Amino acid sequence: MTTTPKPHWRPHPTRRLILQGATSVALLGLGNLPFAPARAAANDKYPEEAFRQKSEADAIKALYGKAAEPSDKVKLDAPEIAENGGVVPISVTTTLDKVTSISFFVAENPSALAASYRIPDGTIPAVANRLKMARTTKLTAIVEADGKLYSATKEVKVTVGGCGG
Amino acid sequence: MASSIRVRATSTGDITEVQTLIQHPMDTGLVKDSKGELIPAHFIQQLKFECNGKDVFVADWGTAVSKDPYVKFSFKGAKKGDELKISWTDNKGGSDTTTAKIA
């Protein structure tokens, strides 16, 4: 004769569950909708879409809608080693004519576009400012002159990033 | 309240050099405070310089511009005594305006 075994008493499953990933970090993906393509930088509006782009290539596309060619007429001045990534002095000058805008892109930052300056007629195509850099990065300056884009790049070594708390 | 904008505009010949320093946190929205909570993004988006009724320089900024931003540029067509109007707006709707005499 066989005795039917008692159904085994199992602990309630939730007791075993370890609270893992309870603090799931909601990364705001800021789902970039694919509208608003090329917009001229000469536009008076703040280029929100371009500032949202993560990569340098996407940011340049969103801001200008075209690619830049390297030019030795664009002089980009930045330190080779930045001790403090939170404050990196950067300036650009150019001998190009009919300049309408100058923009700075920091490739390794969470969003590449850092600053964009509109240069109206009569303003000298040169600007100096201070930018943050998350880590060692490629820095690109783009000068828009006579409807075309010219760029200069430089590698900046960052010893202390500009994003830490 | 004292203005958040400090400007020095000096004219040499036909060229006016403008140096500006603004007090602003320029928070990226990615940094946590001492309690581990994210400090929301708070940054200047647009900074405008006008002289004699004309825009002479417009800056569009993202969060990568350093805290207490500094910017320098030069323009032609103004003379000593002309007024330069500087104004900024940030992503939280804050703004400030000041005027400076070109020296």
Side-chain angles (χ1 to χ4, degrees), chain B residues 86-100:
Chain B
I86 304 103
S87 53
W88 60 256
T89 51
D90 70 24
N91 68 320
K92 287 184 170 178
S95 65
D96 199 7
T97 304
T98 194
T99 51

Side-chain angles (χ1 to χ4, degrees), chain A residues 114-130:
Chain A
S116 181
Y117 299 94
R118 279 172 251 159
I119 312 289
D121 251 1
T123 295
I124 290 144
V127 59
N129 61 179
R130 300 191 297 214

